[in-house]
Structures are given as C-alpha cells and as structure tokens.
Amino acid sequence: MDEIEIVQKAKQGDMHAFELLFEGYKAKAMRTVYLMTGNPHTTEDIVQEAFTTCYLSLHTLKQPEYFKTWFFKLLTRLTWRTMKKEKGLVPTDTINEIMELADAKAKVDIMEEVQDRNEIYSQILKLDYKLQTTIILYYYNELTVKEIAKVMGCLEGTVKSRLYTARKQLKLHLIEEGKQHKSKEAYGI
C-alpha cells in the first residue's frame, strides 16, 4: 500500500492507516522539532500536539499526495508558535550521548566533533526563524526546495534565496567565531 492510499484510508477514519503515517513520520518530526527548539521535552510535546492536530484536521487535506508537505507545514507552524512563547531554549548534549560516541571514536575526536556540531547548531539557532527552518528542512530532513516552498507557503525562489542567505550568514558567523577564538588564545584567555 503506498502513502496516498494510506492517507486516504486515514482520512476515512482508519486508525491502522493513521498509525502507519505516525510511524513513518515520527522520527523526522522529532528530529525537525528538536533541531528547532533544542529541548527534548518541548519536542515531545510539540510532536504529540502536531500528530493530534493532524488526526483531527486530516479531513481538510484535499490532495493526499501532498500529505508530507501539509504535515511539515503544520509541524513547523506549531513549533514557531511554541518557540515564540518559550524564547531562549539552548540545546545541550548529555553525558550519555557523548559516551555513546566514545565507543566509535577517540575521545579527542569526539569532543572536537561535538564542539563543531554545537558551534554550527548554535549559529543556526541565531538565524531568523524562517532561515533556520529552511536550513533544518533542507539539510536535516532532506526536503526538496519545492517541498520546502509548500511547507513554508512561499515561492521556490524564496526558498533558494533563504538557503543562500542562511549559508552566507552561517559562514560569516563561523568565521567571526574562529577569529574571536584565536584572539582569545593569543591573549591566554
């Protein structure tokens, strides 16, 4: 059974079909929201609310082939609203996550990788919500420019422009962070 058939059955109230949609999109939804909020508890709440809203609103979806973009639009809008209410959330890596990585790599490599990932991620969080969402949907969820345009309710050219602007801003911020880090080391700070 393909996704369009599953969506059609879910629209008709088939709980098994909706469970298939839930299982198919749960991990991507969790990753998307976590990358936007950086808070695992908030992430769980938002994803749960998104799937509840999805279930209650699925009958309004006119074209089942666009379920993916419809769902991510619902998810990102809900995340934006929550983020506006809860400003200042900062992601943190737990000791357990670092220890899991230790089995695969040397500790020095792990710390550098975590630091680099955190630096990039902290810079992504400093971007405007629309730029931030575009980057997350494109790089972390591998949505196409066309799909992102549908999710965000804008033109494909706007998505391309946002990707360009976000990349440019990230590069400038990371270069600036590197210069500040080097100058601190030079002064023994």
Side-chain angles (χ1 to χ4, degrees), residues 33-39 42-43 46 79 83 89-91 121 125:
V33 176
Y34 180 75
L35 289 169
M36 293 173 72
T37 65
N39 183 310
T42 302
T43 297
I46 292 171
T79 304
M83 287 173 66
L89 298 176
V90 178
Y121 185 65
L125 289 179

Side-chain angles (χ1 to χ4, degrees), residues 2 22 42 45-46 49 62 71 76 80 82 108 110 121 129 145-146 148 160 163 168 177 181 184-185:
D2 69 351
F22 174 78
T42 302
D45 293 343
I46 292 171
E49 186 175 344
K62 294 178 180 146
F71 176 73
T76 55
W80 287 347
T82 304
V108 173
I110 293 168
Y121 185 65
Y129 286 133
V145 169
K146 186 175 187 174
I148 295 170
K160 290 176 184 177
L163 283 170
K168 188 175 180 179
E177 287 284 321
H181 183 67
K184 286 180 181 178
E185 286 176 357

Side-chain angles (χ1 to χ4, degrees), residues 34-119:
Y34 180 75
L35 289 169
M36 293 173 72
T37 65
N39 183 310
H41 302 295
T42 302
T43 297
E44 290 175 11
D45 293 343
I46 292 171
V47 170
Q48 182 178 7
E49 186 175 344
F51 277 108
T52 301
T53 303
C54 174
Y55 179 76
L56 296 173
S57 304
L58 192 57
H59 68 280
T60 65
L61 177 63
K62 294 178 180 146
Q63 297 175 304
E65 61 270 18
Y66 294 119
F67 174 80
K68 181 179 181 180
T69 54
W70 177 81
F71 176 73
F72 275 103
K73 184 174 187 175
L74 180 150
L75 182 69
T76 55
R77 299 284 163 88
L78 183 58
T79 304
W80 287 347
R81 276 188 299 227
T82 304
M83 287 173 66
K84 285 180 185 177
K85 292 178 190 174
E86 301 177 8
K87 291 245 183 208
L89 298 176
V90 178
T92 57
D93 284 326
T94 64
I95 300 288
N96 292 335
E97 290 175 48
I98 294 171
M99 293 308 291
E100 287 175 15
L101 291 173
D103 294 336
K105 296 182 178 183
K107 289 182 180 180
V108 173
D109 291 342
I110 293 168
M111 294 310 291
E112 288 176 2
E113 185 178 314
V114 169
Q115 184 179 359
D116 290 345
R117 189 176 69 228
N118 285 342
E119 286 177 24

Side-chain angles (χ1 to χ4, degrees), residues 128-176:
D128 164 87
Y129 286 133
K130 291 180 181 181
L131 295 177
Q132 181 186 114
T133 302
T134 304
I135 287 286
I136 290 170
L137 291 175
Y138 188 78
Y139 287 104
Y140 292 94
N141 282 324
E142 300 172 355
L143 267 65
T144 64
V145 169
K146 186 175 187 174
E147 290 171 329
I148 295 170
K150 288 179 183 176
V151 167
M152 298 184 72
C154 62
L155 300 172
E156 289 179 40
T158 304
V159 173
K160 290 176 184 177
S161 174
R162 287 177 182 164
L163 283 170
Y164 173 80
T165 302
R167 288 181 197 126
K168 188 175 180 179
Q169 286 183 14
L170 286 171
K171 183 178 178 180
L172 290 173
H173 289 299
L174 290 170
I175 289 171
E176 187 61 35

